[in-house]
Amino acid sequence: MADTEKKSLFSAVQPSGAVTIGNYIGAIRNFAKLQDEFNCIYAVADLHAITVRQEAAVLRRNTLELMALFIACGIDPAKSVLFVQSHVPAHCELTWVLNTIAYPGELSRMTQFKDKSARHADNVNMGLMDYPVLMASDILLYQAALVPVGADQKQHLELTRDLAIRFNNRYGQTFTVPDGYILKDSGARVMSLADPSKKMSKSDENPNGFVTMGDDKDTVIRKFKRAVTDSDADIRYDPEHKPGISNLLTIYHAFTGKSIPEAEAEFAGKGYGEFKIAVGEAVADALAPIQAEKARLLADKAYLGEVMKKGAEQAFRISRKTLSKVYRKVGFLAGE
Ligand code: TRP
């Protein structure tokens, strides 16, 4: 498992409810593909999730569901370290130390902090502002060289690098400074079906804008039938002039593996209606086995419990090593 020849790669997803096909294509699906090339460490980021208000029972459910989804999407607990963030105390402990070298100015300038503060104006809390420091701790504890991130997390990764460099300069070489990992086929940015100028998001006020990993076949097809397109009738990839059709072609490509030119050829001369149904069917057919496997896993609580326990133990060991080093460098007396 922990192969010293391989670089370590870290990523995490928040258990904040529905996972869209955009999250799947842009992130989760690729996690499985990286497992042979890297030492992969994947977490369910429940500590991050409570920076916005959560219902306790719902958070518990979502955490278990995301664990099951990760495995159903191909993350193999025998190959990768897969764990729940709050099960590993070093994340909070390192956050405290990194807080002492993070500046309120740089944290309050983070785009996501500003967006979330505006969206949750009744709950602008310190955790929301500290979110990127916790994220830096996630990454730095595992000495991850690589972090697959989408555009929305680039700024947080930049801050992680800044904090790592700042700490290393002040206390001596301690942390690997991580790089973003750009996925080979990640041109696939999935846009809203209701407004293809916006990224697909589960917080879209229009539920037809996004498809979730749990949507059944009828729902998926209904949402694709309603997808916004344009007035000319060509099925052609042209994101600037035909963002709706281009988004559907991207999704079709992502779920069938057919190239965009192949897809264009397949639908040449056909109508938008037929094309939309074909995309919906391709997506629904790809989701069905994942949904079945996820349901099977959720029915096997003992297995999921074992996976979480083993993952937490592995993560504990790796993270403890880094944290001990940090504690020594900052001048804490050895406690044991
Ligand atoms: N903030 C990330 C998101 O919402 C989730 C996350 C938490 C993460 N810790 C991380 C991603 C560490 C990459 C690395 O998408």
Side-chain angles (χ1 to χ4, degrees):
M1 211 237 359
D3 183 338
T4 47
E5 302 281 291
K6 293 180 183 172
K7 288 185 171 177
S8 292
L9 177 146
F10 184 96
S11 197
V13 176
Q14 291 188 68
S16 44
V19 174
T20 71
I21 58 167
N23 305 133
Y24 173 67
I25 294 304
I28 299 172
R29 179 171 78 153
N30 304 297
F31 291 177
K33 298 184 193 160
L34 299 164
Q35 295 181 109
D36 293 317
E37 202 180 336
F38 304 108
N39 288 323
C40 293
I41 301 122
Y42 297 124
V44 175
D46 57 347
L47 296 171
H48 279 104
I50 62 164
T51 58
V52 301
R53 218 161 268 143
Q54 301 284 340
E55 202 74 61
V58 176
L59 179 59
R60 263 191 289 277
R61 181 75 203 163
N62 286 341
T63 301
L64 209 55
E65 292 222 4
L66 186 53
M67 249 311 165
L69 182 65
F70 272 166
I71 302 169
C73 291
I75 295 181
D76 179 354
K79 284 188 187 165
S80 299
V81 177
L82 176 61
F83 70 103
V84 176
Q85 190 188 28
S86 67
H87 291 174
V88 181
H91 293 252
C92 292
E93 295 168 306
L94 181 59
T95 298
W96 178 253
V97 175
L98 292 182
N99 272 337
T100 66
I101 62 161
Y103 310 128
E106 63 190 346
L107 295 179
S108 59
R109 272 197 304 277
M110 292 284 126
T111 308
Q112 199 166 76
F113 172 66
K114 289 192 278 187
D115 287 352
K116 285 192 182 169
S117 302
R119 260 192 291 134
H120 304 275
D122 58 337
N123 184 25
V124 182
N125 61 79
M126 287 304 294
L128 198 58
M129 188 161 153
D130 211 27
Y131 182 111
V133 180
L134 178 59
M135 195 166 143
S137 301
D138 294 345
I139 297 164
L140 300 179
L141 278 172
Y142 301 92
Q143 305 290 350
L146 299 168
V147 182
V149 281
D152 63 329
Q153 297 298 319
K154 272 218 181 95
Q155 203 181 28
H156 290 164
L157 182 62
E158 216 29 68
L159 183 87
T160 300
R161 292 171 53 86
D162 289 347
L163 292 176
I165 293 167
R166 203 176 294 162
F167 190 95
N168 287 347
N169 284 342
R170 191 164 308 175
Y171 296 105
Q173 179 58 38
T174 307
F175 296 123
T176 303
V177 180
D179 284 309
Y181 183 76
I182 310 297
L183 294 149
K184 284 176 195 85
D185 193 23
S186 65
R189 197 162 120 88
V190 177
M191 311 307 280
S192 162
L193 300 184
D195 175 359
S197 69
K198 288 194 313 202
K199 194 180 131 180
M200 182 179 284
S201 162
K202 69 168 169 23
S203 35
D204 196 329
E205 64 282 0
N206 182 348
N208 290 320
F210 58 93
V211 173
T212 80
M213 294 301 289
D215 283 350
D216 61 26
K217 187 159 188 166
D218 288 348
T219 308
V220 173
I221 291 179
R222 180 173 44 77
K223 287 179 178 177
F224 277 100
K225 274 189 184 162
R226 293 194 185 160
V228 167
T229 48
D230 48 61
S231 52
D232 86 46
D234 286 353
I235 297 168
R236 175 166 51 80
Y237 188 76
D238 179 355
E240 196 182 328
H241 300 106
K242 298 170 69 70
I245 289 294
S246 302
N247 187 37
L248 295 180
L249 280 166
T250 298
I251 294 171
Y252 191 71
H253 155 67
F255 279 93
T256 61
K258 292 179 190 168
S259 70
I260 301 276
E262 275 168 357
E264 286 172 337
E266 181 178 347
F267 294 102
K270 301 207 168 124
Y272 282 175
E274 193 178 336
F275 173 53
K276 288 180 182 182
I277 291 171
V279 180
E281 279 182 345
V283 172
D285 290 348
L287 295 187
I290 297 172
Q291 292 169 350
E293 178 62 4
K294 184 182 159 203
R296 193 189 67 76
L297 289 161
L298 282 171
D300 192 351
K301 293 281 177 327
Y303 172 73
L304 282 179
E306 270 169 43
V307 169
M308 288 191 287
K309 183 161 177 279
K310 176 172 160 255
E313 282 166 3
Q314 292 173 316
F316 181 87
R317 240 176 290 124
I318 308 169
S319 61
R320 204 31 63 176
K321 218 172 130 194
T322 302
L323 189 75
S324 299
K325 202 163 158 190
V326 167
Y327 274 17
R328 214 170 41 243
K329 299 243 174 177
V330 301
F332 293 165
L333 270 177
E336 69 244 17

